[in-house]
């Protein structure tokens, strides 16, 4: 079975994602309570930054583990993983 690059940090990622989940529930509560829009937007920005940090960490793990491993395997495998990482970066930049 293949090991994902983030396996060693899985618990930390899950902890961060649960914290983000709580922040999103807090934003929903703010909207339900008619909180001032700028305050809601501030919290949305915080959640966005937190998700970006998770994304960057996962990307770093992917490159340092999956891409490096593929590079040791073959040129074709390396090229495929580099393309996969580049596509993921493009999706992150567009979002």
């Amino acid at each position: 079975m293949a090991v994902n690059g983030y396996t060693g940090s899985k618990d930390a990622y899950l902890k961060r994602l649960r914290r983000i989940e709580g922040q999103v529930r807090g934003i929903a509560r703010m909207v339900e309570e008619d909180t001032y829009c700028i305050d809601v937007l501030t919290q949305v920005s915080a959640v966005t930054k937190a998700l970006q940090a998770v994304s960057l960490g996962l990307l770093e793990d992917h490159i340092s583990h999956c891409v490096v491993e593929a590079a040791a395997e073959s040129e074709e495998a390396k090229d495929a993983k580099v393309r996969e990482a580049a596509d993921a970066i493009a999706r992150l930049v567009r979002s």
Side-chain angles (χ1 to χ4, degrees):
M1 185 167 101
V3 175
N4 292 312
Y6 63 83
T7 299
S9 305
K10 184 176 180 177
D11 289 339
Y13 281 120
L14 289 171
K15 183 178 178 180
R16 291 175 86 177
L17 289 167
R18 281 192 284 277
R19 191 176 317 125
I20 292 167
E21 181 182 19
Q23 286 178 288
V24 171
R25 281 194 306 273
I27 293 168
R29 200 168 27 258
M30 291 173 78
V31 171
E32 286 174 355
E33 296 170 357
D34 293 320
T35 302
Y36 184 58
C37 52
I38 297 301
D39 294 338
V40 175
L41 288 170
T42 299
Q43 292 307 308
V44 169
S45 177
V47 167
T48 300
K49 295 292 183 199
L51 282 171
Q52 287 172 342
V54 169
S55 297
L56 290 174
L58 288 168
L59 183 59
E60 182 179 344
D61 289 342
H62 176 70
I63 291 169
S64 66
H65 178 267
C66 301
V67 174
V68 168
E69 193 173 275
E73 183 181 321
S74 71
E75 190 69 22
E76 294 81 22
K78 177 198 68 137
D79 290 345
K81 289 296 180 185
V82 168
R83 178 81 260 148
E84 185 179 63
D87 291 344
I89 292 167
R91 284 191 302 274
L92 288 172
V93 170
R94 283 192 299 265
S95 63

